[in-house]
């Protein structure tokens, strides 16, 4: 008999929705050729006691907020909100090099057979806004707002403007970018107004592995007790 999945890290829960914080390296749902082990959905199913509905996903290498619905009506309402861009999402990204100013990148994206994504004329529209939070050594911590929701959008847009995300195993060189052991992309916050779920304003603080890498790059980590 397979062991029970470990409990997820619950950020918010009511009778219609469940929001959890995913660690870097875990899949939301099973995927061929991707990391194995208990998926986030399996953990959520076990926590709720019945199968939950996947509302959206983040990359296996990313950490942060993932939202599930507990019933079909809530799932449908949340899917519509995501499709109509009525969901505001914010990420943290630690990127290579000095980003000198806030900016918005509007470059079309196309997925190739290798599952990699690239900026291609005639691809699907994709818009991402970046706000500089601080310089971290030779690198930059950004707050990122994706205005569309394409696969690998944040990663590819940052790579395209010369600032790949540290730890990215796909976009940049050499890989992983900067020799960092995890992708430094974290789904920080999400806001949505929907019926029947009501208003959701959720936030998942970055995990210790993200925080410690930022600290190391600052080179001013507090001394351990």
């Amino acid at each position: 008999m397979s062991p029970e999945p470990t409990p997820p890290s619950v950020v918010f829960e009511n009778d219609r929705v469940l929001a959890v914080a995913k660690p870097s390296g875990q899949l939301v749902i099973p995927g061929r050729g991707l990391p194995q082990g208990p998926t986030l959905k399996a953990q959520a199913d076990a926590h709720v006691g019945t199968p939950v509905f996947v509302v959206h996903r983040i990359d296996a290498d990313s950490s942060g907020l993932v939202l599930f619905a507990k019933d079909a009506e809530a799932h449908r309402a949340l899917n519509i909100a995501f499709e109509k861009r009525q969901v505001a999402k914010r990420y943290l990204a630690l990127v290579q090099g000095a980003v000198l100013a806030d900016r918005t990148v509007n470059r079309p994206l196309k997925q190739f057979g290798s599952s990699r994504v690239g900026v291609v004329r005639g691809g699907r529209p994709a818009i991402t806004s970046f706000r500089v939070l601080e310089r971290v050594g030779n690198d930059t911590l950004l707050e990122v707002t994706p205005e569309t929701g394409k696969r690998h959008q944040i990663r590819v847009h940052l790579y395209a403007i010369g600032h790949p995300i540290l730890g990215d195993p796909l976009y940049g060189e050499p890989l992983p970018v900067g020799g960092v052991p995890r992708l430094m992309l974290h789904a920080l916050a999400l806001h949505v107004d929907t019926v029947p779920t009501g208003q959701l304003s959720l936030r998942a603080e970055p995990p210790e592995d993200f925080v410690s890498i930022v600290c190391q790059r600052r080179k001013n980590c507090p001394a351990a007790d």
Side-chain angles (χ1 to χ4, degrees), residues 152-177:
H152 292 180
Q153 174 178 318
I154 295 171
R155 297 164 67 177
V156 175
H157 273 171
L158 283 163
Y159 172 58
I161 64 171
H163 296 287
I165 300 176
L166 293 181
D168 199 320
L170 288 178
Y171 305 103
E173 55 183 40
L175 298 174
V177 175

Side-chain angles (χ1 to χ4, degrees), residues 92 94 141 182 184-186 206-214:
L92 294 177
L94 183 63
L141 184 64
R182 62 149 289 176
M184 292 299 288
L185 181 64
H186 176 76
E208 179 56 35
D209 59 352
F210 188 102
V211 172
S212 65
I213 290 169
V214 173

Side-chain angles (χ1 to χ4, degrees), residues 13-18 68-75 78 196-197:
E13 183 175 11
N14 63 17
D15 60 343
R16 313 302 298 272
V17 299
L18 172 69
F68 296 99
K70 292 186 178 181
D71 61 72
E73 185 183 11
H75 183 233
L78 288 165
T197 61

Side-chain angles (χ1 to χ4, degrees), residues 12-130:
F12 173 82
E13 183 175 11
N14 63 17
D15 60 343
R16 313 302 298 272
V17 299
L18 172 69
V20 299
K22 187 187 82 66
S24 175
Q26 184 183 34
L27 290 170
V28 175
I29 61 173
R32 186 169 57 186
L34 293 171
Q36 299 303 306
T39 65
L40 192 68
K41 184 183 184 304
Q43 291 180 324
D45 289 345
H47 172 78
V48 173
T50 58
V52 296
F53 297 80
V54 177
V55 174
H56 70 117
R57 289 179 277 169
I58 61 176
D59 296 342
D61 295 320
S62 303
S63 59
L65 272 172
V66 177
L67 189 61
F68 296 99
K70 292 186 178 181
D71 61 72
E73 185 183 11
H75 183 233
R76 183 167 51 252
L78 288 165
N79 278 345
I80 291 170
F82 273 84
E83 290 169 5
K84 292 185 175 181
R85 302 183 190 177
Q86 295 171 341
V87 179
K89 296 176 287 183
R90 288 186 292 137
Y91 288 72
L92 294 177
L94 183 63
V95 304
Q96 192 171 64
V99 180
L100 301 179
D102 303 347
R103 65 180 294 181
T104 296
V105 177
N106 185 349
R107 298 191 184 183
L109 301 177
K110 179 180 179 180
Q111 183 173 330
F112 298 93
S114 63
S115 295
R116 284 175 59 93
V117 176
V119 172
V120 177
R121 182 176 296 178
R124 299 177 68 188
I127 304 172
T128 312
S129 295
F130 309 104

